[in-house]
Amino acid sequence: MTTNGQKRQKTRKPLLINAFVMGCAGLQNPGLWKHPKDSSHRFNQIDHWTYLAKLAEKGKFNALFIADVLGGYDVYKGPENLATPAVAGAQWPVTEPSAVVSAMAAVTTNLAFGVTFSTISEAPYHFARRLSTLDHLTKGRIGWNVVSSYLESAARNLLNGEKLDEHDQRYLKAEEYIQIVYELLLSSWRDDAVVLDKKAGVYTDPTRFRKINFEGKFFKVPGPHIVDPTPQRLPVILQAGTSKVGKEFAAKHAEIVFVISFSPDDLKPKIAEVRQLAKEKFGRNHDDIKFVALATPVIGATHELAEEKYQELLSYGDIEGAQALFGGWTGIDLSQYGEDEELGNVSSNAMRGAVQNWTKAIPNEKRWTRKVIAKQITVGGLGPAFVGTPEEIADELEHWSDHAGLDGFNFTYAVNPLSFEEIVEDLIPVLQRRGLAQKEYPNPETGSTFRKNLFGTDFVPSTHPAYNLRWRAGVSKEEFEKSLSK
Amino acid sequence: MTTNGQKRQKTRKPLLINAFVMGCAGLQNPGLWKHPKDSSHRFNQIDHWTYLAKLAEKGKFNALFIADVLGGYDVYKGPENLATPAVAGAQWPVTEPSAVVSAMAAVTTNLAFGVTFSTISEAPYHFARRLSTLDHLTKGRIGWNVVSSYLESAARNLLNGEKLDEHDQRYLKAEEYIQIVYELLLSSWRDDAVVLDKKAGVYTDPTRFRKINFEGKFFKVPGPHIVDPTPQRLPVILQAGTSKVGKEFAAKHAEIVFVISFSPDDLKPKIAEVRQLAKEKFGRNHDDIKFVALATPVIGATHELAEEKYQELLSYGDIEGAQALFGGWTGIDLSQYGEDEELGNVSSNAMRGAVQNWTKAIPNEKRWTRKVIAKQITVGGLGPAFVGTPEEIADELEHWSDHAGLDGFNFTYAVNPLSFEEIVEDLIPVLQRRGLAQKEYPNPETGSTFRKNLFGTDFVPSTHPAYNLRWRAGVSKEEFEKSLSK
């Protein structure tokens, strides 16, 4: 075993490591803003972000992922109860995630930025410009976390009084939306359209861009795209869907999939299912999709000190805020249950399923009540808090990765930025020594695109649905359009 | 005269001075990207913007204004002819203007940023979040240039196949849109809603935010706003409308109005008209609105050298690109006229009006043909190129300001960033010596909000339509709602 283990360590790929953040306090840690060392309420200050970005780059992180929601978590004690998340500072208020990217890109060279944008938030033409602009400004260090928005609190403000489409319809619309974005980014301009020939007086060769004339069930977008080709041509596609159609969307499009669970046993079949779907239905390879799991390291010099720290962190947790987050994430209003009710036997399938996973992952907790659930959530959300020494946490991360087929982790914080400082100072060096984290970026001085750092290439592989949509240099408009119509 | 002149110079307010830029080449200088020293094609690089921002702050500029269009200028030789602006690099391609703000804000303390956003580009709730986020991140250094989009090339891509509303209807919709933005930013959260009381465990006081329940003819937006109050509460409102309803919109809402003309004689009545409308119809004061005019300084050590430089700049102009810009700006397709046709007598009122203004402003040009118009446009667009020594240009700027009642200028470039370097190094010191430009910001070390630097206060005056919409600290929800219903 040791020999095998050592051999595996030498040849294994380093984990994909991201910082998981959002334009709010109380991301996966409701109430922790009260911690004396926490400054997560400074999310509306630029230096909060540039500091984090530099720190993550120091730790050779792949990316900083910015989550987002477009409305508050108003299910708990609802309908439309925002008082609880407001008091608790539980993802309320929330600023726009892309606005901070250029400031962070200006102070980093290799770190990438995964930004969440919903397919219900703006017209695809308008959004495609935003995405292209960010890929240009970051020199190709952008990923798009595709979400289709599930919160009624967002929909009623965005959709002009109309209701959110039902779930499957929303994904159909999202499918069309992403297709338009692909076509605008890839099929509208040829790679070498911008020639900047000062002598001939030609900025863009007009035979090298075209309309896309998209006419779908939901959208009509003639084009052309208003921005020229960007370093990645297509930002890295991220996704976090866990429903049936969500998994299919991920299997088809995603290059990175976020997963969340308390247990690697629970994750293993879920990851395998998406990989299988990707292979069988869409012909994609095992290495075409990276799975990353949410994790909150709580690091101590000894196991006991780490446990003490964890208890100290929990003491700042906001029990009400945790239930508000739970309501937003699951749609389940915990206030409908008794304070002390055992929730493993209630009629709700979702509730029972959650409790079953937690029981597997945290077997010493015999009784899951509202309070116990809330306490669990206050450090780490619906993902695990890894409590221990750097070595112990590295063991756990390795176990999760090997057991569940995980490619990496989204590290989030209990206390911001202290948790990230500890991860970078204490945990990353241990992971690096074991070959579990990269010691350096592929091109530390000049930087690479997000996708190049991840997959070794700037563009998606031929198995990706966007691959054939790219108008490549040297291909005439007629040839390209013929290839599209095949 | 000299005594009066000197006295006036001592007491006069410094001009409002902005840099006028956009996420494209060929802004008001089609073809000048071919100039050996020009790097305006680098608009998709962050350092292009951070350099400009630092330069503008060095010159004690008030703001950097980022213009925008959401489609190409396809009227000339159209319909839908983008080949001409593409070849000429005439505002095509165009990146998204707000993405660069945080990078520029990170390297400046006092410079403000005027960003163009169209009221047809996204849902008002979504846009309001964007605006609030930028006001937070810049510490209150944001202005919103409100445009309602006039280009069919933009509309057909944004509106899902629907036609652009006719002009007056567009302004009605824009009026409702801006009202929603006001209410989300001002009426949804009380100034002191975010209390961050770590001891009491209260992040936001839930009695201090509310829904706005907006139900208009075009939009339904219940709220609440998703972002807490920002430094300015309401970004500075900028506007550039010149039509009848556009002027009314400006007279009601705008704090800065952009004007463009070749002649101060032409500007004088236009500015007076909006001021009068503002006073008579909306009860606003003379000093509540600042008028700034587009200007392209071409600076030389002697008048002859400046003239030489102007001729050299013109030699890089792209005649076709200039006509494409003209088509976009005016809707007039110059290709419908003969190459050598005198355009002062044609049937089009708009064309004849333009020629009349130019004839007044540039009397030595006897004959306005397509080529002459295009040449004029290639350095300065529809605004004047001020060609001369710094002293001569300062004289002109002073004359324009005094004669037309102008409050300042939007300086744009012929060659980027060289033109701005020359403005900062050569022209600004002369303006400063004469009291025509501020020598220092009001709070150089700590910075101030955009509005504070402009008007001395962080919020709009009581004569502004947004003034009473603000939920102020200490006012109960009931009192506030009573005040709103008055």
Side-chain angles (χ1 to χ4, degrees), chain A residues 70 80 125 157 160 211 223, chain B residues 70 80 125 157 211 220 223:
Chain A
L70 291 162
E80 300 198 28
Y125 171 80
N157 280 300
N160 233 351
K211 293 172 80 171
Chain B
L70 290 161
E80 299 198 30
Y125 171 80
N157 281 300
K211 294 173 79 172
K220 278 185 200 161

Side-chain angles (χ1 to χ4, degrees), chain A residues 236-247:
Chain A
V236 172
I237 303 294
L238 322 172
Q239 216 263 357
T242 50
S243 64
K244 187 165 173 289
V245 285
K247 281 176 192 167

